[in-house]
Amino acid sequence: MSQRPTLLIVYHSLTGGTLQMVEAASAGARQEASVQVRLLHATDAGPQDLLQAQGYLFATPENLAAISGLMKDFFDRSYYGVLDRIQGRPYASLVCAGSDGHNAARQMERIATGWRLKAVAEPLIICTHAQTPEVILAPKQIPAADLQRCEELGQSLVAGLALGIF
């Protein structure tokens, strides 16, 4: 019997918004029993985790119009250790943004392009409209409709892995 494919979800969250998003995506992904789901904080993930997975979901808050420092650290620590070893594998991304999120999504897309990963969904950007220091640093509550979108993304990713589509 062959080993189940693995979806690796790597994330960072400062105020809880991104964590809620990845928990919803993970819950959606775990509905497919034939795919293993690994949820790792960016500080705990590295090249070996990427090599052992067949698909990826990267999730970050938008910090100063960029991916968070800890997500950047994960990519920095992992990039060369997996270069030319994970090409063609599917990925998607989640961004919890205060105002825009597109630059953070572009940064992850550029890294994935360097790894020659295959984007299987548009970046899912949830905007919290946090614009003042107090609101930016406050714990976030992601609306149920947005969490449903995250859950559906998780379901789609594992469905594609389970069926061998990607």
Side-chain angles (χ1 to χ4, degrees):
M1 183 173 170
S2 65
Q3 187 177 0
R4 297 184 303 164
T6 298
L7 172 67
L8 175 65
I9 302 173
V10 179
Y11 75 96
H12 173 246
S13 186
L14 180 64
T15 61
T18 306
L19 179 59
Q20 292 167 54
M21 293 168 63
V22 296
E23 286 175 339
S26 178
R30 292 179 196 281
Q31 293 176 27
E32 174 56 61
S34 67
V35 176
Q36 178 183 1
V37 178
R38 291 191 65 212
L39 179 60
L40 290 177
H41 189 274
T43 57
D44 298 325
Q48 200 58 37
D49 301 300
L50 289 161
L51 291 170
Q52 294 172 351
Q54 288 68 50
Y56 314 103
L57 179 58
F58 304 118
T60 184
E62 174 191 49
N63 289 352
L64 304 172
I67 62 176
S68 72
L70 290 178
M71 276 302 287
K72 175 74 167 65
D73 174 71
F74 156 72
F75 287 125
D76 285 346
R77 287 184 291 103
S78 303
Y79 191 82
Y80 293 106
V82 301
L83 190 61
D84 293 330
R85 298 173 73 189
I86 60 173
Q87 64 269 18
R89 295 182 189 180
Y91 87 97
S93 62
L94 296 170
V95 178
C96 185
S99 59
D100 181 72
H102 288 92
N103 193 52
R106 272 191 299 278
Q107 284 181 297
M108 288 191 287
E109 179 183 1
R110 289 182 62 112
I111 292 163
T113 297
W115 278 336
R116 293 170 186 78
L117 298 179
K118 177 184 171 187
V120 296
E122 290 294 317
L124 179 50
I125 300 170
I126 305 297
C127 187
T128 65
H129 305 285
Q131 296 299 303
T132 65
E134 297 78 21
V135 178
I136 289 168
L137 295 173
K140 303 297 181 285
Q141 185 58 53
I142 304 300
D146 289 330
L147 292 176
Q148 178 64 38
R149 294 170 53 210
C150 297
E151 185 175 335
E152 290 166 0
L153 179 59
Q155 289 170 332
S156 297
L157 276 169
V158 295
L161 285 173
L163 295 171
I165 294 171
F166 358 100

